[in-house]
Amino acid sequence: MTALETEYDVAIIGGGPAGSTAATLLARHGRSVVVLEREKFPRFHIGESLLPYSMATFERLGVQEKLKGICMEKIGGEVSSSCGARKVRFYFRSGFKLEQTKSYQVKRADFDKLLLDHAAGSGAQVHEQAPVEKVDFAADSVSLSVKIEGAQRTIKARYLIDCSGRNSFVGNHFNLRQSYDTLRKFSVFAHFEDVPLRDREELNLTRLIRGGDFWFWMIAVSETRVSVGVVTDTSKFRQLKMTPEEALDHFIEQSPEMRERMQGARRVSPVYSISDFSYRNSRLTGDRWMLAGDAAGFIDPIFSTGVFLAILSGEQCADALHEILNEPGRKAGIFRNYEKRLNRVMDKYLRFVEAWYRPEFIEVFTTPVEHLNLVGAVNAALAGNIGDSFAMWWRMELFYLILFLQRHMALVPRLPATNHPDPAPAVILPQ
């Protein structure tokens, strides 16, 4: 750790993917930047599946070769019903106009440390176990009271990027947090070893298993270790009156598909839990600050958008502040454009996530019929294509129309409400 300065171009609260991305790029632009991370890396974190649309940013950061040494390759995903009767695999190579067709599955402890160390190696000053305790905004600067190595320090910067995660230091300071009433969810998760494989390819697919009022993820983060988590309604978990460990076992037992997939599996981490994790802050910028990553908002773990949005927003914050530091008169327009772009991306994924929680999504998704390259468009959305092109937009609109029609008429066979096995055999449809 280098000697602490007192004034910087940019201070960043939080050293996760958003903070590390912003710090690396700002340092490479020649800006003085400090990262203040309250924890000591590596530390356990969830959000282990990355999207292909982040790969270009990894190239820009210069971490691609480092990532290959610690990550599992991700080539697509598998979605199945809880009963196991309906399932489909999709591959990014078949996505609509996708330039990047692979990504990674990661142990977040290793991934986040790699990015933070890379930021330090790129010229950012990084301080771990350095909790920010107070922030004061002036007309031309920001002052942060922070504890570093047990001593109270004051750091000044021209601008602040809040990448402090769900606790959103600035968001709480200004009381900006707004929850999504339709996404009040609870999740429990852990790492397992000795999880049986049906085929070798399962190591390179993010797997989602959907039940009536819950869904599971299974993500191989190494050759031997699998992240397993379940998401359900917060009200459902409270009714169960179970510990997180009991709840995870309970939901596995409730799903024939998961019971089979977890036979003989051995838990090798504590069971973690999190509740009511879906929210957005009502403002993403202020006169001297920007919000990025989970500090801006988090939608849902489904479709692996958390790290994708963190990397995207961290990159955009860095580019925005670099321009503003060069041309301060453009600040208002640049901040406005950043907020508009990030809100638009979150709106698109919020719509996608809300569709996932309706029964017609799993019915339609696991019975794909190729017309007008709709399968490829949905595939591309799952890869991180935010749908700015007209060709992508109208295909996604047509997909939502099909979901709406399925709600009122059976365009494809329905799954029983109980999600017990259909009499029809299971079908795996490679895309």
Side-chain angles (χ1 to χ4, degrees), residues 336-351:
R336 186 168 54 250
N337 288 337
Y338 168 78
E339 190 157 356
K340 182 178 179 181
R341 285 196 304 268
L342 190 56
N343 272 318
R344 186 175 68 242
V345 174
M346 288 195 283
D347 285 342
K348 289 179 183 294
Y349 279 110
L350 176 61
R351 187 181 184 190

Side-chain angles (χ1 to χ4, degrees), residues 65 67 212-214 428:
E65 291 305 312
L67 287 175
D213 57 3
F214 62 89
I428 299 179

Side-chain angles (χ1 to χ4, degrees), residues 39 42-48 108-109 186-192 217 225-231 237 242-249 251 267-275 277:
E39 297 187 54
R43 84 289 188 248
F44 184 89
H45 207 282
I46 204 64
E48 296 135 322
R108 279 292 300 276
F186 184 88
S187 180
V188 290
F189 43 88
H191 283 182
F192 290 81
W217 75 74
R225 181 170 292 205
V226 177
S227 171
V228 177
V230 64
V231 177
F237 173 76
M242 294 180 176
T243 66
E245 292 81 2
E246 291 169 339
L248 184 55
D249 291 341
F251 282 108
R267 181 162 62 84
V268 293
S269 81
V271 175
Y272 298 88
S273 65
I274 188 172
S275 64
F277 40 72

Side-chain angles (χ1 to χ4, degrees), residues 1-6 8 12 23 27 32-36 116 119-120 122-127 148 155:
M1 184 174 66
T2 58
L4 179 67
E5 300 175 27
T6 57
Y8 298 85
I12 298 173
S32 59
V33 56
V34 61
V35 180
L36 304 169
L116 187 60
S122 298
Q125 190 170 132
V126 173
H127 296 276
I148 298 177
I155 291 175

Side-chain angles (χ1 to χ4, degrees), residues 176-230:
L176 303 177
R177 188 185 182 100
Q178 296 180 333
S179 297
Y180 297 119
D181 290 337
T182 57
L183 294 175
R184 294 194 178 277
K185 305 294 181 181
F186 184 88
S187 180
V188 290
F189 43 88
H191 283 182
F192 290 81
E193 300 214 353
D194 301 328
V195 177
L197 293 175
R198 293 173 178 172
D199 56 64
R200 176 72 182 177
E201 194 175 61
E202 284 193 334
L203 288 173
N204 306 112
L205 300 170
T206 293
R207 290 168 281 160
L208 307 175
I209 297 91
R210 171 66 188 275
D213 57 3
F214 62 89
W215 64 270
F216 277 93
W217 75 74
M218 300 184 75
I219 302 168
V221 296
S222 76
E223 293 281 343
T224 61
R225 181 170 292 205
V226 177
S227 171
V228 177
V230 64

